[in-house]
Every structure is written in structure tokens, then in C-alpha cells.
Amino acid sequence: MQTLYDKLWQSHLVHEESDKPDGMALIYIDRHLVHEVTSPQAFEGLKLAGRKPWRLDSILAVADHNVPTTGRDHGIKDPISRLQVDTLDQNCEELGITEFRMNDRRQGIVHVIGPEQGATLPGMTVVCGDSHTSTHGAFACLAFGIGTSEVEHVLATQCLLMKRAKTMQVSVEGELGHGVTAKDIALAVIGEIGTAGGTGFAIEFSGSAIRALSMEGRMTLCNMAIEAGARAGMVAVDDTTIEYLGGRPFAPKGERWEKAAAYWRTLKTDEGASFDKIVWVDAAQVKPQVTWGTSPEMVTTIDGRVPDPAQITDIVKRHDMERALKYMGLAPNTPISEIRPDKIFIGSCTNARIEDLRTAAEVVKGRHIAANIKLAMVVPGSGLVKHQAEQEGLDKIFREAGFEWREPGCSMCLAMNDDRLESGERCASTSNRNFEGRQGPGGRTHLVSPAMAAAAAVAGHFVDVRELY
Amino acid sequence: MKKFDFCDGLVAPLDRANVDTDAIIPKQFLKSIKRSGFGLNLFDEWRYLDHGEPGMDASQRVLNPDFILNLPRYHGAQILLARANFGCGSSREHAPWALQDYGFQVIIAPSFADIFFNNCFKIGLLPIVLDAGSVDKLFHEVEATEGYRLAVHLQDQSVTAPAGKTFFFDIDPFRKHSLLKGLDEIGLTLQHSDKIKAFEEKHRAAQPWLFA
Ligand code: SF4
């Protein structure tokens, strides 16, 4: 009896460095996604050592972090950003790596385009020099972020040296309320186990609430596994997985498709297999979540209040909380619903897929952003998501409500391009990290679901989106 | 990779938990396509009062006098003492690069984030996990004693305090060996090329759709 993680590990094991179960092992990598920020030094290292990529057809590259979300025809203004993107283009061209360039309609955030293209398939090991690679685990992949030295290692050898993780099951049973989403499950779990709760573990999300989620929702959940400290998150294959993949450009066709699908259906934890740790969540109890601090674990429900450090006995914890509240400009005991954002960001690899845009549009439809909102923007996860949304008229809904409709990329999730918060500005953001300075130096981030970001945009303060339907 | 066997170094304490990689090296510096030069911008937003951008002349910038690494008594520190979940957040290897470039050779904490921990070994920066009680004790001692140093021996897996108290730490034997010798891991893996090729053939036969 094996867990899904055990199956994925076993089916990629090339070599073990020691006979101890927790020793280092060589694991074969099926899919290597590459972006411009963490790859230049790896390509350089490869070249300096006179090595070549082991398997070109395993690599898919795209520039996403530095790309502008407006005025693309004029190229990238910032010369350092431009150099980084040009370097990726050059490396891919020189080595013959498939890349979606900035003006390709298929361009987008690396974790959005992998699944969208069917370049992420069940049973794969997927790596990228990016911690949110955990996203791809939604397809029953073993998917995790790696550093630049490891990017070079995978380029050169198609393998990675790693240690087997412990396994954690997050079991979410029951039905989510309308307006409560995968993002809320993710934040609630992180609030429960903490940002280090998953350290050393690979998390499998299971239960009836997970099976009821779309692939978009599952990706949101696995995306945030890293925010719980787990390098990998995953969900077993079911009909939803297979339906999503049918007809995608990189997915197998015809007879191969049948054979693949049959294999994929075996990618689930065997009944009776045991996990090192289990966390139970009652879906019906999950409420919309809002973070109030500078770590994703600093989170509460929309009907909650900013906590009071005076109530905390652990000194390190109390200091962290005080520091976070000072940075966030929040007083203890403030009701969450009285917090007023200046900016709204709907985007990122967590929540910029078509379903996310649909749920946000449902809330803003026929409404307008509040007077205190300086900027509300939607940054679709990819060119194809943008196109699909436009086909459905979502761009019109957003524009009429006062939102800006942008070109795809990471954008204000980490503010490497021009999209950023000014110091002291407060943002309702659908991204995944509320660290100090993440969305711009001095910027204050509140993580929420797309529906909750949309609700905050029209109300001018955080509000329970369930009251707006 | 840089070789590591021994370090007798000045200790600097960074007394906060969940120090993330955005704090260790903010994103604007990730635009560099080089591997070096990140030390100047280590902890940039805490260390300087003005906003840092790549290419700025560090000597013209305004230091934050309250930030721990700016206190003269911690200048030249080679060992960073930290709290739980150090290095959480992104996979950027720029974070260990910046710590190493600044001069740190060892980081001691009760726990580290997985990817960061892993990345450190790739460049010869040694992350040491000690239990929270011991780390707490070290924090007290460092803060109480100017010029506090620790001696770290990788071979014995030990950290020795000035008064002679020694703490032992765990490390994977493969990692230890690679660090002590400063081995090139890619070169090591390529010694298994035949095994990788054999695996690949088997894998292709079983799941041909994974190969173009
Ligand atoms: S959207 Fe944000 S979290 Fe996702 S890959 Fe881009 S920068 Fe990273």
C-alpha cells in the first residue's frame, strides 16, 4: 500500500546514495520549466563547464517576472529587466529550447502555462527555479521548486539529488459555502499549521471538498503548499484531471492518450496507506480569509479582528506580531471589515486563471470600485486566459467597474516590473505572499481570494463576499 | 562548490522568526544575471534607510543604525544566529549567495525552510539545526558578550561555545562529504550517466507520452 507520493518517488528513482531510507537519492526529472530570473547563472555555469542540456524536449521556457503589463509593443523599459529577458531568449535560442516569448499569445506565468499547455501531465516530476512549482502537483505530479544550482544540475543530468520527504494528508471533507474558495482553504490550513507546519513534508490534499474542486481550485491549493512550508502539494487523479487535459497541445493524442489516461487513473493513494501526519478540515466551517500580517500564517476570518500581541505569552511570537502590526499600520483589535485597501490586485500564479477571473467578475458585475480605491487591476495569468476572458466579456465587466485590464505576467505579485505598491499603501491581493516589501518597499499586503478582492474593491473595505451575492 | 570544514567566527544574532528570502535579498536585485555581488544588498530593506536599487553606490547610502548587522560589534561576523523557519519563501538561491558574499559561512537556527536549506549546501554555506532551547541560550550569550565567537567543526559535527560547551548537530553523510571535499555535484551525478540512460529507456517504454 503506497501513498501517491510514494508512487511518484518510486517511479522516478534512479539511484540511492545510501541504503538508509532517508539518504540522498537521484530522482529523474520529466519536465523542467524555466523562467528568466533563476536561470541565467545556471545556463552560464553549464556553458563554463562545457556541458549541454541532457534532454531538450523536457524543457519549456517563458519570461514572466520582469515583463511589463502595459505597452508591450515598446519592449521593456528598464534596461536591467530587459537584459534578463534578453538573456533567456538568447540562451533558449542558442540551445534550441522551446520558449514562449513576451509577445507570443501563449506567454504567461510559468505555473499557469504549464498546465494550460498540457506540458504538465499526471505522474511527472516537474521542477522549476521557483518555489510555486508546487502548483503542478494538482495534476498528481511530484512538483517542487529548486535553486539555481539545481536548475543547472537538472539541465546537465536530467536528475536531482534529493531526500525523501515525509507525507502529510490534508483531508477536507464536506461542502464549501458559496463564495468560499480553494484560496480560503489554503489560508485556513496555513493559519492552522503555520508557515513551517509542512516543512519536510509533501502534502496530499484529499477528501470530498477537494474532489469537488475544479483543476483551477486544486492548483490554487497546491500553489500555497509552499506557504505552509511544504515543498510539494498534490491531488490524486480523477475525471476532473483527465477532462482538463484532453486536447491540450502538449498532451498525448489518440492511442497514446488512452494508454496514458489508464495509467494516470492509478495515481492515487492506495486505501489503507498511511501518512506521517494528517490534518482534518471541515469544509463547511471554512469562512473567507484575510491576512493581517507579514506572513501568510498571520490570517483570520472576515468576521475576525486584528489580534492583540498583549495576549501572546511566547516572547519571540509577540515581538513578531508587534513588528508585523507596526509594518502593516494596524491597531490590535481592529475589525478586519474596517480595513480599507488603496489598491486591488487580481493576479498571480495563485489566482489568475479563468475561473478566478470569472468569480471576481461575478462580484463586480454592475458595480463600481469604491472612491477610496486608487487602482484596481486584473492581470490574467496568461495570454490565453486573457483571450478566453475577453471572449466571455469579462474584460468589459472589469473595465466598466473601474478596473484596469492588463497583459499577463507576475506583475504586482512581486513587483519586479513597474507594477508596485508605494510605501504605506495597502493592497487586497490574490497573490500568495504578504512579506514585508513583497509588493513594493513599504507596501502592505492582505492576501484574499479573487471573490474577496473583488468585494473589497467595490465596498472600499474588506467585506464578507457572501453578503454581496 | 566552496569547501567547508571549519569556522571559528564572530556571531551575529538576528532575533526574529520566519525571516523570508524577500527580506534576505529583495527582488529588485534578482534582476542581476551574475552570481556575485549580492552581499552589499543582503537584508537591504532592514539595513539601509533609503530605498535600494541595483547599481547604487553602497558608500553613498544611509545605513539604519538600529539594524543588528550595522552595530560595530558585529562587523566581520561569519556566523549568523537565527530563529525558526529561516529562509522561508521563494527558491531564490540569491539568498544564500548574498549571505555568503557578505561573509557568512554558517547559519544556526532551530529550523530552516526546505528549499533554502537545500540551496545552502549547493554553494558551501553550512546551515546548522540546533534545538530551540540551545539556540535560545546562544542568543542570550551572544547578546551578553561582546566579541562572542563559536567554533564550528564539520568533521565532528560540533559547535563549541567560548566557555567550552559543545553542541552536536546532524547532517546527511553525503552532504557532509560533498562539503568537506568541495565536490562538484553535477560531476558526481554524471558518473551515474549509464544508470540515468538505462532508467530513461525504461521510462520511455512505460510512458512514451513523456517524450517528444
Ligand atoms: S506570480 Fe508571483 S508567486 Fe507566482 S511565479 Fe510569479 S512572482 Fe512567483
Side-chain angles (χ1 to χ4, degrees):
Chain A
M1 283 173 301
Q2 287 182 305
T3 63
L4 172 57
Y5 177 80
D6 296 331
K7 290 182 186 180
L8 294 169
W9 176 271
Q10 215 56 50
S11 61
H12 291 87
L13 187 60
V14 174
H15 171 77
E16 280 171 297
E17 286 295 341
S18 87
D19 40 17
K20 286 205 233 98
D22 66 341
M24 301 292 284
L26 262 191
I27 292 295
Y28 187 82
I29 303 302
D30 295 311
R31 176 65 70 204
H32 189 183
L33 301 167
V34 171
H35 68 69
E36 80 276 21
V37 181
T38 51
S39 65
Q41 298 87 349
F43 282 119
E44 190 192 16
L46 197 72
K47 214 181 286 177
L48 287 175
R51 292 173 176 138
K52 287 252 172 302
W54 181 283
R55 219 190 100 201
L56 282 175
D57 70 337
S58 69
I59 314 172
L60 179 61
V62 70
D64 52 6
H65 286 61
N66 279 281
V67 299
T69 57
T70 53
R72 286 231 173 135
D73 305 341
H74 311 296
I76 304 176
K77 261 192 301 172
D78 174 5
I80 331 179
S81 285
R82 190 170 61 231
L83 176 64
Q84 199 162 55
V85 173
D86 286 350
T87 305
L88 179 67
D89 291 352
Q90 259 168 32
N91 281 322
C92 290
E93 175 129 359
E94 239 167 68
L95 295 168
I97 292 170
T98 307
E99 185 200 6
F100 298 161
R101 294 211 174 177
M102 188 169 81
N103 289 318
D104 189 315
R105 197 202 253 185
R106 298 167 297 176
Q107 182 270 344
I109 305 170
V110 65
H111 309 307
V112 174
I113 67 161
E116 183 174 81
Q117 291 294 322
T120 302
L121 295 172
M124 277 183 165
T125 42
V126 180
V127 297
C128 176
D130 195 287
S131 58
H132 290 101
T133 310
S134 59
T135 310
H136 308 263
F139 292 83
C141 292
L142 178 53
F144 49 88
I146 57 178
T148 298
S149 293
E150 291 181 311
V151 171
E152 186 180 337
H153 195 281
V154 175
L155 284 171
T157 71
Q158 210 60 38
C159 291
L160 262 187
L161 270 166
M162 55 191 309
K163 254 180 164 194
R164 206 177 171 122
K166 290 174 286 178
T167 55
M168 181 190 295
Q169 183 184 39
V170 174
S171 171
V172 193
E173 293 288 350
E175 225 176 292
L176 284 177
H178 185 49
V180 185
T181 66
K183 181 66 162 283
D184 301 301
I185 302 179
L187 287 169
V189 169
I190 294 163
E192 173 84 26
I193 69 174
T195 48
T199 303
F201 289 94
I203 297 180
E204 181 177 345
F205 297 96
S206 60
S208 57
I210 306 300
R211 284 195 299 277
L213 287 177
S214 64
M215 288 317 292
E216 283 87 349
R218 296 176 191 183
M219 284 188 255
T220 300
L221 202 53
C222 291
N223 175 278
M224 298 282 289
I226 183 69
E227 263 34 86
R231 218 172 161 184
M234 61 195 81
V235 175
V237 170
D238 62 9
D239 291 344
T240 308
T241 325
I242 291 175
E243 270 160 33
Y244 177 97
L245 288 168
R248 304 256 164 200
F250 286 63
K253 314 260 159 9
E255 215 179 291
R256 269 195 178 180
W257 167 263
E258 296 304 325
K259 211 178 146 206
Y263 169 66
W264 294 341
R265 287 188 188 281
T266 67
L267 297 171
K268 54 181 180 208
T269 291
D270 297 330
E271 210 156 316
S274 67
F275 289 85
D276 296 306
K277 190 173 171 183
I278 302 184
V279 174
W280 303 95
V281 179
D282 178 357
Q285 298 295 320
V286 178
K287 295 180 187 172
Q289 309 276 314
V290 183
T291 65
W292 49 263
T294 53
S295 160
E297 69 185 26
M298 294 175 166
V299 64
T300 187
T301 51
I302 179 63
D303 54 1
R305 287 168 183 267
V306 174
D308 185 354
Q311 309 289 321
I312 307 291
T313 42
D314 181 323
I315 297 183
V316 177
K317 257 209 161 129
R318 192 195 310 151
H319 284 167
D320 283 342
M321 193 184 266
E322 285 165 353
R323 201 158 20 217
L325 292 186
K326 184 159 173 253
Y327 181 85
M328 293 296 290
L330 290 173
N333 301 314
T334 308
I336 295 295
S337 59
E338 284 178 13
I339 300 174
R340 302 170 77 81
D342 305 297
K343 289 186 173 167
I344 308 291
F345 173 61
I346 297 179
S348 90
C349 59
T350 313
N351 281 128
R353 297 183 182 82
I354 188 68
E355 184 187 86
D356 301 314
L357 304 194
R358 285 183 193 136
T359 50
E362 185 190 352
V363 176
V364 302
K365 190 168 186 175
R367 297 187 167 109
H368 201 274
I369 59 171
N372 60 307
I373 304 294
K374 291 192 230 165
L375 171 73
M377 61 198 280
V378 182
V379 182
S382 72
L384 293 175
V385 168
K386 181 171 184 250
H387 179 72
Q388 171 74 28
E390 286 168 356
Q391 296 287 307
E392 297 177 17
L394 305 184
D395 58 324
K396 264 187 81 196
I397 296 177
F398 284 117
R399 283 201 169 107
E400 281 168 11
F403 277 81
E404 293 193 11
W405 180 250
R406 299 286 187 92
E407 299 291 336
C410 294
S411 177
M412 211 160 71
C413 172
L414 97 164
M416 264 182 99
N417 67 356
D418 288 338
D419 309 334
R420 65 187 61 172
L421 299 180
E422 298 305 321
S423 187
E425 274 182 345
R426 193 178 290 292
C427 182
S429 176
T430 66
S431 56
N432 43 48
R433 288 192 174 136
N434 50 354
F435 299 157
E436 285 184 23
R438 172 78 178 181
Q439 294 194 288
R444 296 163 171 167
T445 304
H446 296 272
L447 303 176
V448 286
S449 71
M452 284 290 286
V458 296
H461 56 89
F462 288 110
V463 61
D464 192 332
V465 63
R466 295 174 295 182
E467 292 164 14
L468 295 189
Y469 290 118
Chain B
M1 188 217 312
K2 227 171 138 182
K3 199 162 135 164
F4 182 99
D5 50 7
F6 168 76
C7 169
D8 176 3
L10 186 69
V11 184
L14 186 62
D15 195 3
R16 48 166 97 187
N18 299 317
V19 170
D20 60 75
T21 54
D22 280 80
I24 298 173
I25 183 86
K27 75 293 222 93
Q28 62 270 33
F29 305 106
L30 271 49
K31 295 181 183 183
S32 165
I33 56 170
K34 299 206 198 86
R35 234 177 217 273
S36 55
F38 295 101
L40 281 174
N41 304 105
L42 176 70
F43 299 120
D44 200 273
E45 283 178 22
W46 295 341
R47 200 161 136 206
Y48 302 98
L49 292 174
D50 56 348
H51 172 62
E53 283 294 335
M56 276 167 88
D57 178 357
S59 67
Q60 302 298 314
R61 297 189 56 194
V62 195
L63 286 174
N64 173 4
D66 297 331
F67 183 57
I68 199 88
L69 295 186
N70 289 336
L71 305 186
R73 63 183 276 195
Y74 297 122
H75 281 176
Q78 289 169 305
I79 300 176
L80 184 68
L81 187 63
R83 294 286 185 186
N85 201 26
F86 187 83
C88 59
S90 87
S91 69
R92 60 188 74 163
E93 199 168 304
H94 311 66
W97 292 341
L99 286 157
Q100 192 177 58
D101 196 50
Y102 180 89
F104 288 116
Q105 296 186 31
V106 177
I107 307 166
I108 302 176
S111 60
F112 292 88
D114 281 343
I115 306 180
F116 176 85
F117 187 71
N118 205 42
N119 283 343
C120 287
F121 287 105
K122 306 291 172 192
I123 64 164
L125 177 67
L126 178 63
I128 295 179
V129 178
L130 294 182
D131 67 274
S134 303
V135 169
D136 212 42
K137 202 162 162 261
L138 288 175
F139 264 100
H140 287 297
E141 289 180 9
V142 173
E143 279 154 15
T145 327
E146 196 154 340
Y148 189 91
R149 302 175 79 84
L150 287 169
V152 176
H153 282 269
L154 179 54
Q155 187 59 52
D156 319 339
Q157 301 175 213
S158 70
V159 177
T160 306
K165 165 115 178 91
T166 298
F167 307 86
F168 292 95
F169 60 91
D170 276 339
I171 181 169
D172 177 85
F174 178 83
R175 282 179 167 153
K176 178 176 173 180
H177 178 74
S178 300
L179 269 182
L180 284 170
K181 295 259 152 63
L183 296 175
D184 163 26
E185 282 193 357
I186 296 180
L188 281 183
T189 299
L190 286 173
Q191 291 177 6
H192 298 298
S193 286
D194 289 346
K195 262 192 153 168
I196 302 171
K197 283 186 190 137
F199 175 90
E200 206 164 45
E201 280 320 303
K202 215 178 64 199
H203 203 50
R204 186 195 295 266
Q207 298 179 60
W209 55 86
L210 295 179
F211 297 77

